[in-house]
Amino acid sequence: MRSYNPDLTPPWKRSAPVPEVPADRDLVVEEVATGFCGAVIRCEAGTVTLEDRFGKHRVFPLEPRGFLLEGKVVTLVRPAAGPARPTRTASGSVAVPGARARVARAGRIYVEGRHDAELVERVWGDDLRIEGVVVEYLEGVDDLPAIVAEFGPAPDARLGVLVDHLVPGSKESRIAAQVTSPDVLVVGHPYIDVWEAVKPSSLGIPAWPVVPRGQDWKTGVCRALDWPDNTGAAWQHILSRVTSYKDLEPELLGRVEELIDFVTAP
C-alpha cells in the first residue's frame, strides 16, 4: 500500500507560504533573528554574506523565512547559474576557460602591504595564476635594498616591486634609487596609500578626502567620510566595490601591467 502521512497540524497553526527570492548581488534584506540589514555581496552553498552601510560583513545561513525584503518575510535562495563564463578576466585580458595555474616562477612581484596584495589579486589574480607569478607583501619598503639582496635577482628570477607614493623627493623614491640591479624593476603610483587607487566613483564618493599632514591617513579618511574608525572594515568595503580594472586609476593599472610583463619576459 502507498504510505500516507497526513499533516495533522490545525489550519490556524500552519505557516503561510512565503516567496523564495534569489539572493542576487546588491539585494538589500534584513536578517530576521538579528535585525542586521545589508546588501548581498556573496551567496555560496547554504550561506549568504551581507554588508551593511558601514562596510561590516555578516554571514547567515539560507534558512526558510529567514529574511525581510521591504518589510515582508521571504526565503532567500541561491541564484540560478548565470550565463557562460566571461570572455575577459577582471584585468581585461582574454579569459582562458579551464586553464590550470602554472607552476610558480622563480621571479616574484613584491608590494608594500596586504591591502596592495589583495587589490592586485582581485584584478589580476587570474592572469597571475596562468603566468605562474606569485605576489608577496613587504610591510613597507624601508629595508628594500636588503630584501632585494636577499632575494638574489637574476635573469631567470626577475623581481618587480610596486611602491606606494613613489614621487620625486619622497622617502620612497630615495629608497628605490638604491636598487640598481638590471633584474629588478621598481615602479610606483603617486598615491599615499593604495586605497586612493580605487576610483571614488566606484565607492559612490565625490573624491578622496584631503588628510592633514601628521595625521594617520587611513584614520583621517574614515573620519572624513563618516565611516567607523575601523580601517580593516573600511578596506573590506572598498575592496568589495572593485570588480574589474575599470574601478582602478590608470596610474596603478599601468604599473602593475608593467611589472607582470617584466617578470614574465623570456
Side-chain angles (χ1 to χ4, degrees), residues 112 164-165 172 189-196 211 217-218:
E112 283 207 43
D164 296 343
H165 198 228
E172 291 81 3
H189 56 74
Y191 307 113
I192 295 174
D193 191 275
V194 77
W195 287 20
E196 277 192 295
V211 178
W217 189 84
K218 292 176 181 176

Side-chain angles (χ1 to χ4, degrees), residues 51-254:
E51 178 183 324
D52 71 7
R53 63 191 183 93
F54 299 111
K56 183 178 181 181
H57 292 186
R58 290 280 298 275
V59 180
F60 298 101
L62 290 174
E63 294 183 343
R65 309 174 65 88
F67 299 86
L68 296 177
L69 176 61
E70 297 180 348
K72 297 181 180 180
V73 177
V74 299
T75 296
L76 287 188
V77 295
R78 193 173 184 181
R85 292 182 178 180
T87 58
R88 296 279 176 177
T89 67
S91 71
S93 301
V94 176
V96 184
R100 290 186 176 184
R102 177 174 172 167
V103 175
R105 295 173 182 266
R108 291 287 188 273
I109 291 178
Y110 286 167
V111 297
E112 283 207 43
R114 181 170 60 86
H115 293 179
D116 306 67
E118 290 176 344
L119 189 60
V120 170
E121 165 62 26
R122 173 62 63 94
V123 176
W124 288 274
D126 290 339
D127 308 64
L128 293 168
R129 278 181 283 278
I130 290 176
E131 295 290 350
V133 177
V134 175
V135 175
E136 300 177 5
Y137 65 91
L138 304 174
E139 294 291 1
V141 294
D142 289 353
D143 298 321
L144 183 60
I147 292 170
V148 170
E150 182 179 356
F151 178 83
D156 60 346
R158 291 182 169 186
L159 179 61
V161 184
L162 179 68
V163 179
D164 296 343
H165 198 228
L166 190 62
V167 296
S170 68
K171 176 190 74 174
E172 291 81 3
S173 67
R174 293 191 292 272
I175 293 172
Q178 299 175 43
V179 179
T180 58
S181 169
D183 299 312
V184 180
L185 176 64
V186 181
V187 299
H189 56 74
Y191 307 113
I192 295 174
D193 191 275
V194 77
W195 287 20
E196 277 192 295
V198 178
K199 291 180 178 179
S201 58
S202 297
L203 297 170
I205 60 176
W208 284 102
V210 176
V211 178
R213 291 178 62 87
Q215 183 180 148
D216 179 73
W217 189 84
K218 292 176 181 176
T219 301
V221 165
C222 290
R223 292 174 180 172
L225 295 176
D226 199 26
W227 291 350
D229 280 352
N230 183 332
T231 56
W235 169 243
Q236 291 305 314
H237 168 68
I238 295 166
L239 188 62
S240 72
R241 295 297 187 265
V242 177
T243 59
S244 78
Y245 71 96
K246 297 178 182 179
D247 296 305
L248 302 182
E249 299 288 0
E251 289 82 355
L252 176 67
L253 292 173

Side-chain angles (χ1 to χ4, degrees), residues 21 29 49 125 145 213 250:
V21 177
V29 294
T49 303
R213 291 178 62 87

